[in-house]
Amino acid sequence: MSIVATRRALLGLAGAASLSAAMAGAVRAEGGSSTASAGPGFANGTPVSIGAAALRVLRRDTMTAFYRDAIGLSLLAEADGRSVLGVDGIPLLTLIDAPDASFEPPTQAGLFHIAFLMPERRDLAQWLVHAAYTRVPLSGFADHNVSEAVYLDDPEGNGLEIYADRPADRWEWKDGVVTMGTHQLDMDAILDLTTTERDTYRGAPAGLRIGHIHLRVGDIPAGRGFYEKALGLASTRGDRRDAAFLSSGGYHHHVALNVWNSAGAGRRDPRSTGLDWFSLRVREAAIVEAQSARLAAGGLAVTPVENGVEALDPWGTRVRLLSGAA
């Protein structure tokens, strides 16, 4: 399959006739407007980073097969109605049986997408060829200045992003705000990094991690109150009424929040599908203690879990703060 044929196949999987049309899917996924790789070492080497996530699912076997075959995660453990998937023995995603659950509506608070960060741009290229050969349905492509991204949904509608960061010294910052837009992805330049004549993707590369989590929330000030003021993440995109992008250690964002479809949403239904919990990996125990103290001072319940604590954000999403390097 030539680069032209591969690009055509990928656009077909995204239901688009051109890259500009495919970019519309990415605009919906990130809410941006037009205006080498850092690798997961930066995203996961900050004082606080994303550790893992868990989804409540209706068909665990189907979902396990998708994350294994389409994304390349390995099945690490399976017991008690749970499948744990990851890379090189490192758990990244837990699928939890919820056979009687209802689908969480996209107008409710919950998961917008889980973003899997490739170690290198070449890894993203190999995964794109894999997606073309195995006909993985896609929803959009975008260049976000700081990163290059592909969007898709899993079989139960949970949003996913597969992306590679540009080198951090090429990110543009001004007054604490990083430049991020949504531009047309140079797919041919990415595909030039690998062969398109065969599928060479042999599973998720060893360094793949979750780079960020993007959430639907009901109110941006309340979301920032929890994730910024209580958990100590820093805003990287200034004050916006419709979204917030928050990070630790100068990364472009570890947690994003938006109200594009969920403004005014109340508490989540714990009996629905979707995000059950996600974890923030905290490199120093003292930071976990400080976060716990701020949460308690704000009247929020803090529950002990293995290696850390768990708290609920204002919409009932469970956030685990776990000590230890990512």
Side-chain angles (χ1 to χ4, degrees):
M1 190 184 297
S2 68
I3 284 181
V4 172
T6 304
R7 184 191 338 107
R8 188 181 303 119
L10 290 166
L11 289 170
L13 291 168
S18 66
L19 277 167
S20 59
M23 191 178 73
V27 171
R28 289 191 295 271
E30 285 290 8
S33 58
S34 294
T35 54
S37 175
F42 188 163
N44 296 102
T46 51
V48 179
S49 60
I50 302 297
L55 299 173
R56 299 187 293 267
V57 302
L58 295 171
R59 303 177 302 278
R60 183 162 56 92
D61 289 348
T62 299
M63 294 285 277
T64 298
F66 171 83
Y67 282 98
R68 182 192 62 221
D69 300 338
I71 309 301
L73 301 183
S74 298
L75 180 61
L76 305 180
E78 196 167 30
D80 302 323
R82 295 167 185 254
S83 297
V84 180
L85 299 104
V87 176
D88 268 8
I90 298 173
L92 297 178
L93 183 68
T94 298
L95 304 177
I96 303 170
D97 266 334
D100 299 323
S102 57
F103 280 110
E104 185 169 72
T107 55
Q108 296 301 302
L111 179 69
F112 199 60
H113 61 241
I114 297 173
F116 289 99
L117 174 57
M118 289 288 183
E120 301 290 343
R121 195 182 189 214
R122 183 171 181 269
D123 298 312
L124 179 62
Q126 291 179 327
W127 181 79
L128 271 171
V129 174
H130 172 71
Y133 273 88
T134 58
R135 303 197 60 78
V136 177
L138 306 175
S139 57
F141 312 91
D143 181 329
H144 291 307
N145 298 95
V146 296
S147 63
E148 295 171 297
V150 182
Y151 295 92
L152 65 158
D153 293 333
D154 73 17
E156 295 192 3
N158 297 293
L160 301 174
E161 175 182 344
I162 311 295
Y163 76 113
D165 275 332
R166 285 203 166 88
D169 60 8
R170 292 172 56 187
W171 303 352
E172 296 181 7
W173 291 85
K174 183 177 181 180
D175 299 327
V177 176
V178 66
T179 298
M180 289 177 61
T182 299
H183 313 285
Q184 184 169 299
L185 185 68
D186 190 346
M187 191 184 296
D188 289 352
I190 296 173
L191 293 174
D192 271 338
L193 299 174
T194 190
T195 179
T196 60
E197 297 301 322
R198 61 189 183 279
D199 183 358
T200 61
Y201 189 74
R202 297 294 179 259
L208 180 133
R209 297 292 184 271
I210 298 178
H212 65 268
I213 294 279
H214 196 146
L215 302 172
R216 304 187 308 262
V217 299
D219 179 76
I220 294 301
R224 290 185 64 171
F226 180 84
Y227 289 98
E228 184 175 0
K229 295 182 174 62
L231 298 189
L233 299 177
S235 173
T236 61
R237 296 293 307 281
D239 293 326
R240 293 178 53 172
R241 290 182 296 177
D242 64 335
F245 296 81
L246 309 164
S247 86
S248 169
Y251 189 56
H252 51 74
H253 67 296
H254 288 106
V255 175
L257 316 171
N258 78 66
V259 293
W260 301 325
N261 298 310
S262 56
R267 299 279 289 189
R268 299 178 61 203
D269 182 353
R271 299 165 298 179
S272 66
T273 61
L275 186 65
D276 189 71
W277 57 262
F278 75 93
S279 65
L280 294 172
R281 183 66 63 176
V282 183
R283 298 185 71 85
E284 299 179 11
I287 298 177
V288 176
E289 294 172 3
Q291 291 170 320
S292 300
R294 287 196 297 269
L295 289 165
L300 298 170
V302 177
T303 304
V305 296
E306 185 178 0
N307 296 325
V309 297
E310 180 180 276
L312 299 181
D313 81 1
W315 299 274
T317 294
R318 298 161 61 199
V319 183
R320 294 180 175 180
L321 311 174
L322 305 179
S323 298

